[in-house]
């Protein structure tokens, strides 16, 4: 069947993800190949001390993104989309969208980016004996209660951005378990919100006299593979303003960007993980068992099919590295040797491979902003060396690659060394891994784990949610998400796997000893500058 016919007969899946700066749509065929894509750029706004997006912008962005996709289909295949096999929606996790009984938004959307819930997050972490980060939806709700905000008594439903979009297009107040795990802690065995913690929360707020209980205002939890509703007639017009798209299309549970990242990198199986490394960096590892204690540095979320995941998120990754490459670019231009930027990155990254395994004693901190994992509210990029260290270009580039991974390693070492977590393989994606074999080698050394980079890793979250919708539609009876991804999507994928070298691992450990000991220098820089 040719691609035009596949589109005309609706043998396709649509995935749409609301990222922080871009809404992206991809239309895929059954094996996961992308047929067409569309996008829409948008930005959060800082209004009255809150990072937010207007709901009108949500719908304008969705509609413009879909129209961009439809135009791509028309341009490539000279046809129009009227039917689709299945659809999935995802978005950045966490945050707070609260509605009254008449479905009116009570306060502007509070996104994950807000750091206004410190008091609530600390109190709930202590009450639950479970790490509740500031960006989680329950922290936002409890902070609003602590602040005596007038709207809280009227809350009839609260959800995430993905949950909101799904609700308006299907009429269903549901959420995928991965996204739900960023609203409220999940009981992994039950595949639902933790009932004991819900009771603790209800007891905590009982004196407030609200006419609701927490379990009544949370969205229903669904796992990957379940049908989470169908596109209503009103929903089809909200998505496709041209009116050409038919209603009745099955839609998978709405998911968060962590879950779609796991699907897109085929890291939903126990003892696998992924590292997303760009401006910021985070890693997720699918755990075999619950952790022995609470770690403020580690968020506990789930895969889209409900397995427990330990996540470490760091604010800083490639910004300082890029700034140094820009300095070399300016030098080259100054001597009349204009070099293509990609060529320069490749040259300098590869130079790092010639450096000493421990960077010759050099130390660097890439803190453009604060880094909570290592205890910093603010940052100051810093490069430090002693006079007798091996100050070479190769070591200089290598130390900045190491620095991009160091805070993440500090967090992950709690899993590896304190909790004895085992990982068979991790999948790297993002700009840090773009130069073949370099970032990958450094990450393998940092994690002491094989790192694989797949050619499809650049497809991103919209592709990930499309895969989850395809799983719902195309899975065989009893087929797990892991088996579906292995057999139907990633079978025969060409990627590269790199094992850690013992010398590099030992070198990274020596670097980390200096890095952790030198945090006092970084504190002095922040305090002094």
């Amino acid at each position: 069947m040719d691609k035009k016919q596949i589109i005309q007969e609706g043998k396709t899946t649509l995935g749409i993800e609301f990222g922080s700066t871009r809404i992206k749509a991809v239309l895929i065929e059954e094996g996961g190949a992308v047929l067409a894509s569309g996008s829409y750029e948008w930005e959060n706004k800082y209004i009255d001390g809150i990072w937010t997006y207007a709901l009108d912008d949500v719908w304008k962005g969705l509609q413009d993104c879909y129209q961009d996709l439809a135009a791509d289909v028309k341009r490539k295949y000279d046809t129009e989309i009227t039917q689709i096999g299945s659809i999935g929606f995802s978005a950045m996790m966490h945050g707070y969208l609260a509605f009254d009984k008449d479905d009116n938004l009570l306060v502007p959307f509070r996104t994950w980016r807000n750091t206004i819930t410190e008091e609530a997050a600390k109190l709930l972490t202590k009450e639950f004996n479970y790490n509740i980060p500031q960006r989680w939806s329950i922290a936002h709700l409890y902070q609003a209660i602590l602040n005596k905000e007038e709207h809280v008594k009227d809350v009839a439903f609260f959800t995430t951005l993905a949950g909101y979009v799904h609700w308006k297009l299907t009429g269903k107040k549901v959420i995928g378990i991965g996204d739900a795990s960023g609203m409220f802690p999940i009981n992994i065995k039950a595949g639902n919100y933790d009932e004991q913690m819900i009771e603790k929360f209800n007891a905590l707020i009982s004196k407030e006299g609200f006419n609701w209980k927490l379990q009544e205002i949370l969205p229903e939890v669904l796992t990957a593979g379940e049908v989470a509703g169908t596109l209503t007639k009103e929903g089809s017009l909200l998505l496709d303003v041209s009116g050409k798209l038919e209603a009745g299309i099955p839609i998978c549970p709405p998911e968060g960007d962590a879950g779609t990242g796991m699907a897109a990198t085929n890291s939903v199986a126990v003892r696998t993980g992924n590292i997303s490394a760009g401006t910021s960096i985070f890693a997720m590892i699918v755990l075999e068992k619950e952790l022995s204690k609470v770690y403020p540095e580690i968020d506990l979320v789930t895969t889209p099919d409900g397995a427990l995941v330990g996540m470490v998120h760091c604010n800083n990754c490639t910004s300082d590295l890029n700034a140094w490459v820009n300095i070399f670019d300016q030098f080259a231009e100054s001597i009349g040797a204009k070099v293509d930027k990609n060529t320069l990155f490749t040259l300098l990254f590869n130079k790092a491979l010639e450096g000493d395994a421990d960077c010759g004693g050099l130390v660097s901190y890439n803190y453009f902003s604060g880094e909570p994992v290592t205890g910093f509210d603010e940052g100051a990029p810093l490069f430090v060396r002693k006079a007798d260290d091996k100050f070479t270009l190769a070591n200089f580039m290598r130390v900045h690659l190491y620095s991009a991974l160091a805070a993440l390693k500090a967090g992950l070492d709690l899993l590896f060394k304190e909790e004895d977590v085992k990982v068979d393989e991790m999948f790297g994606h993002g700009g840090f891994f773009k130069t073949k074999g370099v970032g990958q080698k450094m990450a393998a050394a940092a994690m002491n784990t094989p790192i694989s980079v797949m050619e499809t890793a650049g497809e991103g979250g919209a592709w990930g949610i499309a895969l989850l919708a395809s799983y719902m539609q195309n899975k065989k009876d009893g087929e797990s998400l892991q088996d579906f991804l292995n057999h139907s999507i990633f079978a025969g994928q060409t990627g590269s796997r790199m094992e850690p070298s013992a010398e590099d691992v030992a070198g990274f450990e020596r670097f980390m000893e200096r890095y952790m000991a030198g945090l006092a220098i970084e504190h002095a820089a922040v305090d002094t500058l």
Side-chain angles (χ1 to χ4, degrees), residues 21 50 105 115 137 213 216 228 234-235 250 292 334-335 352 375 403 421-422 425 460 492 495 509 522:
T21 59
I50 301 286
L105 184 70
T115 51
S137 307
K213 295 275 195 289
E216 297 165 356
E234 299 80 13
S292 66
S334 297
I335 62 168
S403 174
V421 166
K422 301 286 189 255
E425 185 175 22
E509 289 294 341
E522 174 67 16

Side-chain angles (χ1 to χ4, degrees), residues 439-458:
Q440 190 177 3
K441 181 179 173 69
M442 306 302 164
M447 311 310 159
N448 193 15
T449 299
I451 304 289
S452 292
V453 176
M454 288 193 164
E455 289 176 0
T456 51

